[in-house]
Amino acid sequence: MKETKQGLASPEARAAMHELMGAFEAFKAANDERLEAIERKAGDGLLEEKVARIDQAVGAAQDRLERLSAEARRPVIGAGVSERDPSTAGRSPSPLLRSGEETKSAFAGYLRHGATAGLIEIKAGLSSGPTSGGYVVPEQVERLIERRLMAASPMREIATVRTVAGGVFKKPVSIAGVESGWVAETAPRPETDPASLTLLEFPSADLYASPAATQTLLDDAMVDLDEWLAAEVEDAFAAQETEAFVSGDGTNKPMGFLSYTVEAAATADWGEIGYVASGADGAFETSDPVDRLIDLIYAPQAQYRAGARFVMNRRTAGIIRKFKDADGNYIWSPATQPGATSSLLGYPVTEIEQMPDVGSVSLSIAFGDFKRGYLIVDRAGVRVLRDPYTAKPYVLFYTTKRVGGGVQNFDAIKVMKFAAT
């Protein structure tokens, strides 16, 4: 594979970054004017509209920058062996490489014409579990789909992703930790208590999409069908996955981190997500909203704050963007270079649109180390079933991959509950 020509510091990305910085400076100036008018008790509706309009411009500029960065990270399939490694130019490819190219060629024949020679067939399940039937895509195509999902899915960027062979991934975790102690070189070693272990299970479920193509498209020799298929399922898979990782109920889908039982952070047990109250039902407390965000930062233990980040949707971000600290400084900072993210109180912010809006007892903000806190499980093997009959004259490609997920460390993730207590 080779990366796209547009890098993270492309002229277009730099222009988007400068647009974001300019819009944010204009937003701060307009918001300062609005706050001064409120202090003089001379609220102006036009000022409110101006701030809202500029805030939308800030959001649009940030969306553009993030889109350009995501496009720069998306991989495309290389044209040949010499592009992957210039030192191999002019040499005969290895038998293993030839085998991979032969499998890829066979898969292209299946997509174009339905030829099945050289592919691994998966029979449709009867009573042994949900399987789609069809054929396993070559490893190159599976890796391409995974890399495109990594670029498109914000949860895959911040969580731990593991590929497994079985349908259920089981992970033993230590709840209380292993005891230790100091001892002299020749002194006896007293026995310590063993760690308290529990077994977490992450079952995978079928995620599917059915992109359609015309026979004209399939007959076009210039069209890279591997890239086309990966691009078609990317958006559908990414949206469904992200929603499940955030709020999935665990039934035929991953368990979202907002779907676990929530308790006050000071009293939450293992298996529960701790929360910090915003101080008002369905809103931030008027007097000290920044203090509540600081409380959320210090809810996880110190070892989880080094790699921590905020997670919220853009509407929640729009509310927080107006907050200032006690010294009159804005607590929100836009990205300072292409490929970077905005920050809040010094911590990066990941915007996930599937996070709930601010409302009564909503869990609209999460904070923590998601790499250590949330686990995404991919079962190896993406399946494709070619269907030229159901939607004639179009050809459907019923594409299925198995995905699971859930919280693997309940101490690493905390949330803000928009309630008085």
Side-chain angles (χ1 to χ4, degrees), residues 7-267:
L8 291 180
S10 67
E12 192 174 1
R14 288 197 298 270
M17 183 195 67
H18 290 310
E19 179 184 349
L20 172 60
M21 297 294 290
F24 187 65
E25 290 300 320
F27 167 79
K28 290 194 295 184
N31 192 55
D32 289 344
E33 188 178 355
R34 179 185 68 88
L35 293 175
E36 290 176 2
I38 292 175
E39 291 178 359
R40 297 194 309 266
K41 297 183 179 180
D44 189 343
L46 293 178
L47 271 179
E48 296 285 350
E49 293 179 5
K50 179 180 178 181
V51 171
R53 185 171 62 254
I54 298 177
D55 182 58
Q56 290 178 355
V58 172
Q62 182 169 322
D63 289 345
R64 181 185 171 207
L65 181 60
E66 292 176 353
R67 184 177 66 254
L68 290 171
S69 299
E71 289 175 355
R73 294 193 301 270
R74 287 191 177 105
V76 296
I77 295 179
V81 178
S82 60
E83 289 190 24
R84 283 190 291 267
D85 184 0
S87 65
T88 63
R91 302 180 187 176
S92 298
S94 68
L96 182 60
L97 183 57
R98 285 200 304 269
S99 175
E101 290 178 345
E102 289 170 0
T103 304
K104 184 172 178 295
S105 177
F107 183 67
Y110 174 66
L111 295 181
R112 294 185 189 278
H113 311 295
T116 60
L119 298 178
I120 301 175
E121 183 177 6
I122 302 295
K123 298 293 185 180
L126 296 177
S127 60
S128 58
T131 55
S132 66
Y135 294 86
V136 178
V137 306
E139 183 179 358
Q140 305 98 309
V141 181
E142 181 179 356
R143 295 292 174 264
L144 177 62
I145 292 174
E146 289 177 355
R147 290 185 63 188
R148 292 188 69 103
L149 280 176
M150 186 68 72
S153 171
M155 276 298 294
R156 284 184 175 270
E157 288 190 357
I158 65 176
T160 296
V161 181
R162 178 169 300 194
T163 301
V164 298
V168 178
F169 177 68
K170 299 181 180 181
K171 179 181 179 179
V173 295
S174 174
I175 298 177
V178 180
E179 289 190 5
S180 61
W182 296 100
V183 68
E185 180 180 1
T186 59
R189 269 64 174 171
E191 183 178 350
T192 59
D193 292 334
S196 299
L197 296 176
T198 188
L199 189 65
L200 297 180
E201 295 188 354
F202 301 89
S204 56
D206 279 3
L207 177 64
Y208 71 91
S210 296
T214 63
Q215 192 59 50
T216 301
L217 173 69
L218 300 178
D219 290 339
D220 190 343
M222 298 300 294
V223 175
D224 189 328
L225 292 182
D226 294 344
E227 176 70 21
W228 170 83
L229 180 65
E232 287 292 306
V233 302
E234 172 190 345
D235 290 338
F237 280 0
Q240 288 290 333
E241 278 188 347
T242 304
E243 182 175 358
F245 297 151
V246 172
S247 58
D249 60 9
T251 302
N252 297 325
K253 61 175 68 71
M255 186 74 170
F257 63 86
L258 294 185
S259 295
Y260 292 86
T261 301
V262 295
E263 291 290 341
T267 59

Side-chain angles (χ1 to χ4, degrees), residues 233-312:
V233 302
E234 172 190 345
D235 290 338
F237 280 0
Q240 288 290 333
E241 278 188 347
T242 304
E243 182 175 358
F245 297 151
V246 172
S247 58
D249 60 9
T251 302
N252 297 325
K253 61 175 68 71
M255 186 74 170
F257 63 86
L258 294 185
S259 295
Y260 292 86
T261 301
V262 295
E263 291 290 341
T267 59
D269 296 324
W270 181 265
E272 300 172 338
I273 299 292
Y275 76 83
V276 171
S278 67
D281 184 33
F284 281 99
E285 189 175 42
T286 305
S287 60
D288 56 354
V290 178
D291 288 350
R292 297 295 179 153
L293 290 171
I294 294 175
D295 291 341
L296 179 60
I297 290 174
Y298 284 94
Q301 297 176 10
Q303 64 263 35
Y304 303 115
R305 291 199 294 271
R309 63 179 55 242
F310 284 96
V311 173
M312 65 190 75

